[in-house]
Structures are given as structure tokens and as C-alpha cells.
Amino acid sequence: MPIRQLAPDVAAKIAAGEVVERPASVVKELVENALDAGARHIRVELANGGLGLIRVSDDGCGIPSEELPLAFARHATSKVQALGDFERLATLGFRGEALASIAAVAGVTLLSRPRAATLGAQMAVVEGEAGSLAPAGAPAGTTVTVRDLFASVPGRLKFLKTRGTETGRCVQLVEQYALAFPEVRFTVVSEGRQVFTTPGDGKLASVLVAVYGLAVAEHMVPLDGTDDTAAAQPEPEHAPAAVASASATRPQVSGYVSRPSCYKSTRGYLSFFVNRRWVQSRTLNFAVEEAYHSLLLTGRHPIAVINVALDPAQLDANVHPAKTEVRFLYERQVFAAVQRAVRAAVLATAEAPEVSSRAFAIPDWSSPAVPASGDGGDVPRASAGDASLWGRTPPGTEGQPGEAAGADAPVAGSDAGGFAVPGAADAPVGGRKLPVMRVLGQVSQSYIITEGPDGVYMVDQHAAHERVLLERMIAEWRSRAVSSQLLLQPVPVELAPAERETIEEHLDALAQIGFAIEPFGGDALLVRALPAVLAAQTRPQPLRELLLELAGGDAEAASHGETWEEHALANVACKAAIKAGQTLSPEEQRELIRQLEGASAYQSCCHGRPTMVHLSLSALERQFDRR
Ligand code: ADP
Ligand code: MG
């Protein structure tokens, strides 16, 4: 086919595809326009999942009648004039193509009256064909009516889901904007029925209730700096009013996050706004999930509603057709600010034990106040402090390696049987260790069942072993005696140039934890020695992945307040530990439990998962109605 210029209507429909993917995209553009217009009440009506009708009415600044035709024109906008305006961008819209795009694939009627005008005007564009401009009575504000979306683009229709799904997406979209704009009253009506509404009282907490329900909202805590007591913002004199003050150069983080006791099984409950623009961001997702590190089990995800306010000059909002992504000039700074704010808020709530809903308690002998024979089982104690990677050593009480070992006599009756674990040096002064337990057997190749002084203990073999290895390695590392295993056959590891650089930057640090690595021509490296615990794991591919993970761990380590080495050792311990699904001989089971008895922070693995659960004798008695 020869190259030919597309007919204007075909070109317009194709261009519209970038912006208008489904009904929710239309709702998004129209709601953004209403917010940019300074609306205090936005009403969204839907019929047939938005395909029949989408009507968005607002009480914003309105459009002067003579400007109505321009509103439909492509690249016509009242929001930016020059490129420099992006440095100060305070509106959600800026491209001037939404209305044009929507009108290319639907019938659009615009009815508007500026507050100062006595009469409004109306104009329709159907599939790109402009109708005439006519005076019309209207309340102050703007109403945009979109009918028969995609009727002329059957290809698009094919990709849409059911009416219910599309309605759901539209509602979800409005919910997101409601979270970002608590001072605006939102109403969504679908098929004549009101399906969502917010009070517009300026309180994010009210919107949380409307979106997630009271049960969840009660488990949300504000981030420091979230001022929900402030009344709704004053009526703006002019549009646009969409952007929170972002004069400070540092990112300001506000919003709400869920307590660790409240979680979802998917990531779909993280809402991020940058200068109140709803965005998708892997960076921000990661920052939040990281903040819950060791507080939520794998597969559990927090709920978060977070706004990052920052100087528009530090931001590029023009990187995505639907404007749902932004690029940060100082991405690390934003990441750190979000992570810090969330972590602080979450830790402040950590007295609520993550394990409270478990059938069984996590045993804790650490407090001398709990008599070993008493029923401590009703009081789960997995607080954030307990989950800490490095045990519960209070600052300042930490002895020199080896020095504290003698002072830390095992609990009476404990018989470490010569299997003392070097990590014993980590135990807090006066702390207790796990009492001696009798191994009963293995269940499901994953759990070791034991009997202790007060009932039955079920030990997760992987978590327990991970904890044991970690404490041993930490002790060795502190005394600069990490056991390293020289390989008879050094393992070559193939890398990309950037990967090799990252690893080479960490060669010294890797040596500290037992690796001996040297260049091996091109971008390959040769691994000559490994931490002893990994001695059996010499396959090049997993080794390569581990090295990359370790070398790339700086940010993650820093974010948990660990040194790189501590973080790396936890990683190594996890890789080296016995896996679930591995059959252990009775002797191996006993050996593992003996080692765990010597661990100081035996209750949880490096990632905060419990190593064991306890079924106390009194709980058993209750279960069997003996008392
Ligand atoms: P953009 O939002 O990028 O400027 P749009 O195509 O969405 O582009 O809108 C074009 C123009 O129409 C806007 O710049 C604004 O001046 C005007 N407009 C659209 N919707 C509204 C509204 N609800 N209230 C007031 N003005 C509006
Ligand atoms: Mg717009």
C-alpha cells in the first residue's frame, strides 16, 4: 500500500484510542476537568456501563459560551500556554485533547454557564461533527453528556468487559478521585441508582469510610502530617484548584495506611496521588510494601491512600497517554519520604499484634514475668520489636562478641547439649531462651511438632532454620570470623556489564560475609569461595541471582536501618535454610530444635514470620471441655 494521509475523521478516532480506552477513561477525563474547574460537587451518571450514557455535572467555574467550540478543539486548553508552564503545573489536564478525543468516538453535549453569566450555552459534537452553539438555561457550572460511546468503533467494543465490570471501573475511578479530594462532594448514579457518595467535608477519613467501609476505615492510621481536622479548603477564587500546596522542595507525604492487623490479599488497595493526580507507580507501591517489611506475611498487602505533594518542577506529568504515570526528578527522595512516613505510622500502631487472630499464640518466654507454667498462650506478643531482625537487644546492652556469652546462662533446665549457638551472644541481658522441647515428629514435611513445658509447639522448619543460621552468621560476622567454604571447582558467573559493576562495587562487603570473587574475563566473575552455609549451592544460575540480590540490596537494607552486611546475611540465611517440603530424619528434627533452643530471637524468622505456634495445656483443656 502506498503511504497516504489518513482522512481526518479516521485519524481522530485513532488518536482518541490513546486517551479513551473504555468508559472509565471518559469518566476520568471529565472528572479531572470538573476538578480543574474548582467544582465542589461532582455528579456522575452512568447507563449501560457508561456505553449508553456518561454524564458529569459540576458546579465549577463554567465555560464562557464563546469558548465552547474551542473546548472541543484538539490542543485547545485554558490550562497551559507555554512549555514553561509545566514547571508550575497546577491542573490535572494540560493537553487540551480530552474533549476532542471523546467527541471523536461518541456524541458529546456540553452545557455550561460561568457563575457570572446570566445565561448559559450548549453545543453538541457527534462523532467529530460540530453542531451549532445555542443559548441555554443552566445552573452555574458545566454538564458534559456523552452518549453511545464507541458506537462507531466496534473494534473497541469487543475489548470491553461486561456492563457490570465497566460500571465498576467507572465507580472505582471516582472513588480514587474522591480519596484525593475529600473537600469535594462526589455522587455516582448508575442505572438510576446512587452507588457511591461522599460528604465533601474535607476529611479523608470520611471518604475512607465511603470507599472501604467502616470496618476497614477503623483500621487506618493517618500519616504524620495528615491534618484531617482542617475544615474543607476555602472556596477557590478561580479555577484551577486541583493541586495541594507543594511549595516545599521536599516531598510532603500525607494520607492513611492500614494497621498490620488489617490487610488484603492483593495489591489493589494502594492508591497514590502526586499533587492529587491519581497515578500508578511501581516506586510508590514498593515504598509502601517495604515499609511493612516483616510486619505483614508474604501474600498479604496493606491498604494505603497516599498523596505526595511536591514542587511541580520536580515532576514530569506528561509521560503517559492517560496521564496515569509521572516521572520524578528525585525518585529516591520520594521513595524514601513515602517509605519513612509509612513505616513511622505503622510502627506506631504495632502494639496491635499481627497474630491476634491466630488460633494459637506465639510463645514468648522472654519476659521473666510470665511463669513457664502459666497460660501465657492467651497473650500473643509478636510486636514489631519482637519481629526485629536482630532480636531484642536493647541499644547499649550489646556486648563485644563472645564476651556476653558466659553472662548469658541458659535458663535452668535448659540443656543445650553442646549445641550452643554462637548467636547466644546476642541475647539480651536477663533474656530467656526457648526451653528444652521434646520432638514428637514432622507434619506435612514442613512442621516439627514438639512438646515443651506448657503444651505443644509447632515449629516451621524453614523459618526456624533461617533464624538459627542467621544468628550464627551474625555472631561470626561480628567477630570477623565468617566461615567460608573454598570451592574445589570455582564457579564462573556470566553477567551483563551493569550487573558486573554492581557486584564489583560490593566485592569487599561480599568478602566480609564469606564470598571470594574475582574477575574472570569479559563480564564474567569467578566465585572461589562461599559462605559455608551455602557450600552445597554452587549452581551458577541461582548463585548469579543471589549475588545480584545481595549486591543490589543497599537501598532495602538502609530502609530497614540495617547495614548492608546484616541485610545480606539474612538473605543468605534464607537461601541456605531447610525448605518446607523437605523430609527430616528424627535426628535432624531434634538437631534443628536444639539449635533453635539456643537462638535468642527464636520467635520469628528474619522476615518476621513466626517460627512457631503454641497450643498451651490450658487451651487444650478448654478445647476438650475439661474446664
Ligand atoms: P484540558 O483539560 O487538557 O485543558 P480538555 O479537552 O479536557 O483539555 O478541555 C478543554 C478545555 O475545556 C479546558 O482547558 C477547559 O478550559 C474547558 N473545560 C472542559 N471541561 C470543563 C469543565 N467541566 N468546567 C470548566 N471548563 C471546562
Ligand atoms: Mg481535561
Side-chain angles (χ1 to χ4, degrees), residues 603-619:
Q603 312 93 323
S604 62
C605 77
C606 327
H607 306 103
R609 290 193 292 276
T611 52
M612 63 175 71
V613 292
H614 175 203
L615 183 56
S616 70
L617 289 177
S618 51

Side-chain angles (χ1 to χ4, degrees), residues 29 32-33 36 79 93-94 98 323:
E29 295 296 337
E32 287 187 354
N33 280 348
D36 281 345
K79 298 169 193 177
F94 49 77
K323 301 170 288 176

